[in-house]
Amino acid sequence: MLALSLLAIGLGNSRGLVNRPRAAVRRARVLLGVDDISNPGEEQDYSAEFSRISRDASLNFAASLLAEAELGVDPKRRALWEQSRRTSELDAVAAARATLRREEGGGELGGDGTPVAAQESWRTQSRALGELSYWLIATGNVDAETILLDAIRGSADCERWLAVEADGLLRKGWSVHRSATVNSRMEAARGLIKAGKAREAADAFSAIAAECEPVWAEAHRWRGKTLHLALGDVDGAISAYEQALATSTRNYPLLFELGALMVRDAAIEAQLGSPRAAGSAARAQRGAEYLGRAAELNPLLAQKVAQLLGDDDD
């Protein structure tokens, strides 16, 4: 996706143009329309990227890249740019919120007083969601996260497509780091799991988690997944998941995975009568609370939670 492509250029890097690959700046200039596409193969490449993310977010990425590259390392110019970027961030998030609220209220009216076409309404809302996703990845904007969560809760029963799209963008926002280097290291660590080197993978995720500033929940999450699914270390996995939640308290994939792990583990230990069975009831209760919180944040998970807790009537 374009978000990943431009993040891979190193949007968060504070160094100047001398450290930017020419191809990266070329890509940004094409996306902005400054340069023309020079060959059919290149046209197909950019067309595919534009189809994966909203155009507005694409232009934000590209404009940020070019502006930052031109700033170099001049601290005064950089301070002015950061102030401008922060203003743009606040304005963009506020505009996205206003767009979603307007569309929820019945959409815009045309000159004859009739609602705009449903297709145009869909495009408008989709662009707003894409803008929010961009800022969630680029800066960790808490308001963007909140608006996306509200979109899920407010649309799960009526406009399900909106809830599903917001859900996907939130999951992407939580799982993609703003640093291309971190994303590359995460992919390499996941490759170790596929290669049967689970212990090395867990250590790699631990190293990434220790080095990220601010703390990044996804690295802890993957350490927990590896400890649980590949190494059978349930207690270590629970600890890793709880470290992740301390950083990302509304991350419902984390809440769901941790809750499911604790509920299932408690049931198994109680049946086996193992030394850990003594705390199984308390562990199951905590797991149920995590699952309940996940369903509260994302009603799309309600049925899965009910099935795990044995409350599903179907």
Side-chain angles (χ1 to χ4, degrees), residues 256 263-264 291 301-314:
F256 183 86
V263 167
R264 288 166 174 161
L291 288 170
L301 295 174
Q303 185 174 359
K304 289 184 177 180
V305 168
Q307 290 172 346
L308 280 168
L309 296 179
D311 298 330
D312 190 3
D313 295 330
D314 295 338

Side-chain angles (χ1 to χ4, degrees), residues 257-281:
E257 289 176 16
L258 176 56
L261 165 60
M262 297 180 77
V263 167
R264 288 166 174 161
D265 177 65
I268 292 173
E269 294 299 332
Q271 289 179 351
L272 295 177
S274 69
R276 295 177 68 250
S280 61

Side-chain angles (χ1 to χ4, degrees), residues 49-246:
E49 289 195 355
F50 272 120
S51 71
R52 295 189 185 107
I53 191 169
S54 73
R55 181 178 177 82
D56 290 345
S58 303
L59 297 182
N60 280 335
F61 269 112
S64 297
L65 173 64
L66 283 183
E68 188 180 355
E70 293 171 358
L71 285 175
V73 292
D74 186 320
K76 290 184 179 180
R77 296 179 69 194
R78 179 163 295 283
L80 289 173
W81 165 243
E82 290 299 337
Q83 182 179 356
S84 175
R85 180 157 61 180
R86 177 58 176 163
T87 299
S88 297
E89 174 184 353
L90 295 175
D91 289 346
V93 171
R97 176 191 280 116
T99 294
L100 292 172
R101 285 179 175 173
R102 182 175 65 248
E103 296 299 327
E104 288 170 1
E108 299 172 288
L109 297 179
D112 60 355
T114 59
V116 296
Q119 181 71 5
E120 183 58 34
S121 176
W122 174 85
R123 289 172 180 163
T124 301
Q125 293 180 83
S126 185
R127 283 196 296 269
L129 294 177
E131 186 76 18
L132 294 169
S133 177
Y134 161 70
W135 289 112
L136 180 57
I137 295 174
T139 68
N141 189 286
V142 176
D143 286 340
E145 180 183 87
T146 299
I147 299 167
L148 287 167
L149 284 167
D150 288 343
I152 295 175
R153 288 193 293 264
S155 306
D157 293 330
C158 51
E159 290 188 280
R160 188 176 177 86
W161 74 265
L162 184 65
V164 170
E165 184 165 350
D167 172 42
L169 290 170
L170 262 175
R171 290 174 186 269
K172 182 183 75 174
W174 285 321
S175 63
V176 176
H177 198 273
R178 69 196 70 175
S179 164
T181 301
V182 172
N183 291 323
S184 178
R185 291 176 63 191
M186 288 289 290
E187 189 61 32
R190 286 189 284 264
L192 290 173
I193 299 176
K194 296 178 182 178
K197 300 178 180 179
R199 176 52 61 186
E200 291 89 335
D203 292 342
F205 290 129
S206 295
I208 296 170
E211 295 168 20
C212 282
E213 181 61 41
V215 179
W216 189 41
E218 187 70 2
H220 290 287
R221 176 190 175 219
W222 270 93
R223 180 171 182 269
K225 288 170 69 77
T226 305
L227 290 173
H228 173 218
L229 299 175
L231 297 172
D233 181 358
V234 173
D235 290 333
I238 291 174
S239 176
Y241 272 117
E242 290 181 333
Q243 284 181 286
L245 279 176

